[in-house]
Amino acid sequence: EVQILESGGGLVQRGGSLRLSCVGSGFTFTKYAMSWVRQAPGKGLVWVSTISGDGRTTYDADSVKGRFTISRDNSKSTLYLQMNSLRADDTAVYYCAKVVLVPGPMWYFDNWGQGTLVTVSS
Amino acid sequence: EIVLTQSPATLSLSPGERATLSCRASQSVSSYLAWYQQKPGQAPRLLIYDASNRATGIPARFSGSGSGTDFTLTIRSLEPEDFAVYYCQQRGNWPLAFGQGTKVEIK
């Protein structure tokens, strides 16, 4: 059974930093690209970042480019999101999601963690 | 940047009724569209990908159709557990994007 578990969320001041982690199990972690998707309270889903299975290629939404860094440690089946220069509008539940293996551009997400809440205080 | 517009914002139906949800893209995304279901306090669940392919374990009452700019998610006969928010998502054009959601509520 695929399991995805995020951690690292919390309350941080505007301009501060936070690192999220996500451990995957029940699948061959290195075989799959992984992503972060966030959801502000009461709002919709927003894609944040994706990293290839080997960790060599990353993709970021414009809203986080230059501030957030996605990375992974395949030896630990762990995905990370380093978040710097945090703003109030970064407040959201951050989901870690496994990418579906289907041909074509970009990604869909077939397994999600329960999410971790990041609150940026102003 | 592609904008996905979902309609209606809220759909009020009774169990057993048919639900028809729409997702319109501001430009063509070919067939690269997915649908997700999200219940309160839970993560999204992939239902449909590439417009019409059911994800693993998804009941046959869920079906997707469309291509280009107009897509539809149909729930043939609503079960009590189907009342939730539904999102469409496109991967045909950079950047990846989600619609704003349609809430299916009990009438």
Side-chain angles (χ1 to χ4, degrees):
Chain A
E1 179 193 3
V2 172
Q3 292 194 337
I4 293 173
L5 185 63
E6 304 98 336
S7 61
L11 178 64
V12 61
Q13 286 193 329
R14 185 177 56 186
S17 298
L18 208 57
R19 188 176 84 155
L20 307 182
S21 300
C22 160
V23 178
S25 61
F27 62 103
T28 305
F29 190 77
T30 189
K31 187 177 174 182
Y32 293 88
M34 297 291 294
S35 297
W36 291 97
V37 177
R38 69 185 180 183
Q39 186 170 35
K43 302 297 185 182
L45 301 166
V46 177
W47 169 73
V48 174
S49 296
T50 296
I51 187 167
S52 60
D54 61 10
R56 293 181 181 181
T57 309
T58 62
Y59 308 84
D60 300 305
D62 285 347
S63 59
V64 305
K65 197 165 292 187
R67 301 188 300 123
F68 291 10
T69 302
I70 189 171
S71 64
R72 64 192 296 161
D73 183 341
N74 284 341
S75 69
K76 297 180 180 179
S77 297
T78 301
L79 177 73
Y80 302 101
L81 186 67
Q82 177 66 44
M83 303 185 295
N84 299 329
S85 303
L86 282 160
R87 311 185 304 218
D89 63 357
D90 294 319
T91 294
V93 173
Y94 285 73
Y95 293 103
C96 170
K98 172 177 158 287
V99 168
V100 179
L101 276 182
V102 289
M106 290 186 281
W107 320 281
Y108 303 125
F109 314 109
D110 61 352
N111 293 95
W112 301 60
Q114 85 292 346
T116 187
L117 176 62
V118 173
T119 303
V120 183
S121 66
S122 52
Chain B
E1 189 166 316
I2 290 195
V3 175
L4 297 178
T5 302
Q6 293 187 238
S7 61
T10 303
L11 196 53
S12 299
L13 294 168
S14 300
E17 290 193 292
R18 181 187 188 94
T20 303
L21 287 67
S22 173
C23 177
R24 177 163 290 177
S26 57
Q27 56 186 283
S28 177
V29 297
S30 185
S31 294
Y32 296 125
L33 190 108
W35 291 93
Y36 298 83
Q37 176 194 68
Q38 188 179 33
K39 298 178 182 179
Q42 295 186 18
R45 173 192 180 197
L46 178 66
L47 301 174
I48 302 287
Y49 66 93
D50 285 349
S52 61
N53 296 292
R54 269 190 305 276
T56 303
I58 301 303
R61 65 180 181 273
F62 291 92
S63 63
S65 64
S67 66
T69 60
D70 290 300
F71 299 87
T72 301
L73 174 70
T74 302
I75 310 172
R76 189 175 61 225
S77 176
L78 283 164
E79 297 288 340
E81 62 268 28
D82 298 336
F83 292 92
V85 178
Y86 292 83
Y87 294 95
C88 57
Q89 177 235 314
Q90 69 85 18
R91 64 164 184 151
N93 287 274
W94 180 268
L96 179 156
F98 291 90
Q100 84 282 8
T102 288
K103 181 179 182 181
V104 179
E105 65 175 23
I106 299 176
K107 187 174 181 181

